[in-house]
Amino acid sequence: DLVAALLDGPTETATAGPLAGRTVLITSGPTREALDPVRYLTNHSSGKMGHALAEAARDAGARVVLVSGPSRLSAPAGVEAVAVESARDMHREVMARVGEMDLFIGAAAVADYRPEQSAGRKIKKSDSDTALRLVPNPDILREVAALGEGRPFTVGFAAETDDLARHARDKLDRKRLDMIAANWVGADRGFHADDNALEVYWPGDGHASLARADKPALARQLIQLIAEHYHARSRGTENP
Amino acid sequence: DLVAALLDGPTETATAGPLAGRTVLITSGPTREALDPVRYLTNHSSGKMGHALAEAARDAGARVVLVSGPSRLSAPAGVEAVAVESARDMHREVMARVGEMDLFIGAAAVADYRPEQSAGRKIKKSDSDTALRLVPNPDILREVAALGEGRPFTVGFAAETDDLARHARDKLDRKRLDMIAANWVGADRGFHADDNALEVYWPGDGHASLARADKPALARQLIQLIAEHYHARSRGTENP
């Protein structure tokens, strides 16, 4: 808000920040996959990291579009917010906009699967075991990274409960991302916490550790790192 | 809060209300059924109705225990709050306390099913369709109503998308409840709305319609109706 902004002192302006004149699309929050009008599948994402990244990118001078699943957080000031529910909603809203973007940061915890059928009316309980048929959702991150010539600089996230480095590097390679930021989840780490730590990987065995900090501070560090690598790629150099 | 309470004027006291000296256990909110540390099944319950019933029962003079699944709402003042996550958590906390209760109101939207297995670590995505094996959760309402001699006066809720009267009466009979309050859900009705309407049924073809009102007002009317029928049952008369 304005008073807080004034009290915080001047922030970098759109003409001065490391992402000045650039456009950034960020996804945030969980998605909800309906079984029927009452029940849904979701996950513990709070949207705190995605929203903090939107603020940090804005403060770095970028024009920011934030596509967010259901979150208690309101959209940061000065950011174009698009609210969605399901992974398919998020996919549609991202693909409609990502062609004009310089950077894409997929910070949402998109549901990998959705129920094969979503009933229009409430499913009645029966006493027996049952099975819920699930089908894979569109892989937004992979699709954006596969856009080819002129695709945005593409950053993914990985939330892992085990074997973090291996899972994150595997996702980086498999989806052909420019960078991935990985964090531990479970046992009060990650989603609902106000602070976090990140292990960041990029192609060619690149690696940086961002030490435990509150999410806004961590987001500013990550945006700085992303901006350096984005400009290095734009200059055609391998190492910034 | 205190100021609001003072502005509202005096409420009925514990010695004067229709539930003075009685104990009421109320469940509220959704439950969350974990697939793994990240993903879960849940529903759209906001907890607004359950929390409003807890306030209304407190204002009617009762000692109130509120067992609530995850909700944005904080527990009302003067109410004993027990926070739970899953249906099995709720079942355990209810059954541990319900023996000493005069009334039980099951306003929670308890998940009917949970995943058969909850993985200790995050399940990795595969590209193929999959099936989630589900098993029925304990039926808290049915178990409370089946406690036999000295069981609490037991009130259930039904949230329906179709054929409301038939589904509600069927649930009343099948679970041997003393009363059921039914409402429509879907299309912006019910869960997240601040107002609602209720159709209330009891054995012997009893029926009352509580017209659309904000949830606190509706909760006060329902507690009044519950209190009348509770005292009628205590006196051994069929019709209050």
Side-chain angles (χ1 to χ4, degrees):
Chain A
D1 69 78
L2 184 60
V3 174
L6 291 171
L7 291 174
D8 280 350
T11 53
E12 290 167 301
T13 66
T15 52
L19 292 177
R22 309 297 173 172
T23 52
V24 184
L25 180 58
I26 299 174
T27 64
S28 183
T31 65
R32 288 182 180 171
E33 310 300 319
L35 277 69
D36 65 22
V38 175
R39 303 172 177 94
Y40 59 94
L41 263 170
T42 189
N43 62 64
H44 287 286
S45 173
S46 64
K48 283 177 186 166
M49 194 64 201
H51 281 60
L53 285 164
E55 290 192 324
R58 176 201 66 194
D59 292 345
R63 179 169 81 80
V64 179
V65 178
L66 178 66
V67 178
S68 177
S71 167
R72 299 187 190 191
L73 304 173
S74 46
V79 160
E80 296 170 40
V82 182
V84 298
E85 284 268 332
S86 71
R88 285 193 293 181
D89 294 343
M90 185 172 278
H91 176 256
R92 185 183 64 245
E93 299 297 339
V94 166
M95 299 316 289
R97 289 169 175 82
V98 76
E100 59 185 271
M101 294 286 153
D102 297 309
L103 299 101
F104 174 75
I105 306 176
V110 184
D112 294 332
Y113 294 94
R114 67 175 181 277
E116 186 173 41
Q117 297 185 311
S118 177
R121 56 191 219 178
K122 191 177 172 189
I123 302 163
K124 302 310 289 183
K125 181 177 183 173
S126 76
D127 288 330
S128 56
D129 296 4
T130 187
L132 182 62
R133 299 275 317 161
L134 299 173
V135 295
N137 271 323
D139 189 331
I140 299 170
L141 199 54
R142 185 195 290 263
E143 271 191 51
V144 171
L147 283 175
E149 196 70 31
R151 77 179 175 94
F153 186 89
T154 304
V155 182
F157 271 75
E160 303 293 345
T161 51
D162 61 294
D163 219 347
L164 184 133
R166 188 174 64 81
H167 281 140
R169 283 228 173 262
D170 176 64
K171 188 170 177 178
L172 178 79
D173 295 344
R174 197 162 27 86
K175 301 197 180 183
R176 301 180 169 278
L177 308 178
D178 295 303
M179 187 176 274
I180 194 162
N183 65 289
W184 295 101
V185 291
D188 298 329
R189 292 181 300 193
F191 284 138
H192 287 285
D194 287 320
D195 62 1
N196 206 347
L198 290 175
E199 299 298 325
V200 187
Y201 305 94
W202 54 91
D205 285 331
H207 175 226
S209 291
L210 303 185
R212 180 162 296 279
D214 65 55
K215 287 181 177 176
L218 208 57
R220 286 191 293 273
Q221 292 178 62
L222 183 58
I223 288 293
Q224 183 64 39
L225 193 62
I226 289 170
E228 287 168 16
H229 284 258
Y230 165 74
H231 289 297
R233 194 191 71 164
S234 300
R235 287 192 306 269
T237 59
E238 282 297 318
N239 295 301
Chain B
D1 69 76
L2 184 61
V3 175
L6 290 170
L7 291 174
D8 280 350
T11 53
E12 289 167 300
T13 66
T15 51
L19 293 177
R22 309 297 174 172
T23 52
V24 183
L25 180 57
I26 299 174
T27 64
S28 183
T31 65
R32 288 181 179 171
E33 310 300 319
L35 277 69
D36 65 22
V38 175
R39 303 173 177 92
Y40 59 93
L41 263 170
T42 189
N43 61 65
H44 287 287
S45 172
S46 64
K48 284 176 187 167
M49 194 63 201
H51 281 58
L53 285 164
E55 291 192 322
R58 176 202 64 194
D59 293 345
R63 179 169 82 81
V64 179
V65 178
L66 178 67
V67 178
S68 177
S71 167
R72 299 187 190 191
L73 304 174
S74 46
V79 160
E80 296 170 38
V82 181
V84 297
E85 284 267 333
S86 71
R88 285 192 293 182
D89 294 343
M90 186 173 277
H91 176 256
R92 186 185 61 245
E93 299 297 338
V94 166
M95 298 316 289
R97 290 169 175 82
V98 77
E100 58 186 270
M101 295 285 154
D102 298 308
L103 299 101
F104 174 76
I105 307 176
V110 184
D112 294 332
Y113 294 95
R114 66 176 181 277
E116 187 174 41
Q117 297 186 309
S118 176
R121 56 192 219 176
K122 191 178 172 188
I123 302 162
K124 303 310 288 182
K125 181 178 184 172
S126 75
D127 288 330
S128 56
D129 295 3
T130 187
L132 182 63
R133 299 274 316 160
L134 300 173
V135 296
N137 271 322
D139 189 331
I140 300 170
L141 200 54
R142 184 195 292 262
E143 272 191 50
V144 171
L147 283 174
E149 196 70 30
R151 76 179 177 94
F153 186 90
T154 303
V155 181
F157 270 76
E160 303 293 345
T161 52
D162 61 294
D163 219 348
L164 184 133
R166 188 174 63 82
H167 282 139
R169 282 228 173 261
D170 175 63
K171 188 170 178 179
L172 177 80
D173 295 343
R174 196 163 27 85
K175 301 197 181 183
R176 300 179 169 278
L177 309 178
D178 295 304
M179 186 176 275
I180 194 162
N183 64 291
W184 295 102
V185 290
D188 298 328
R189 292 181 299 193
F191 282 139
H192 286 285
D194 288 320
D195 63 0
N196 206 348
L198 291 174
E199 299 297 326
V200 186
Y201 305 93
W202 54 90
D205 285 330
H207 175 225
S209 292
L210 303 185
R212 180 162 295 280
D214 65 54
K215 287 182 178 175
L218 208 57
R220 286 192 293 272
Q221 292 178 60
L222 183 58
I223 288 293
Q224 183 64 39
L225 192 62
I226 289 170
E228 287 168 16
H229 284 258
Y230 164 74
H231 289 297
R233 195 191 72 163
S234 301
R235 287 192 305 269
T237 59
E238 282 298 317
N239 295 300

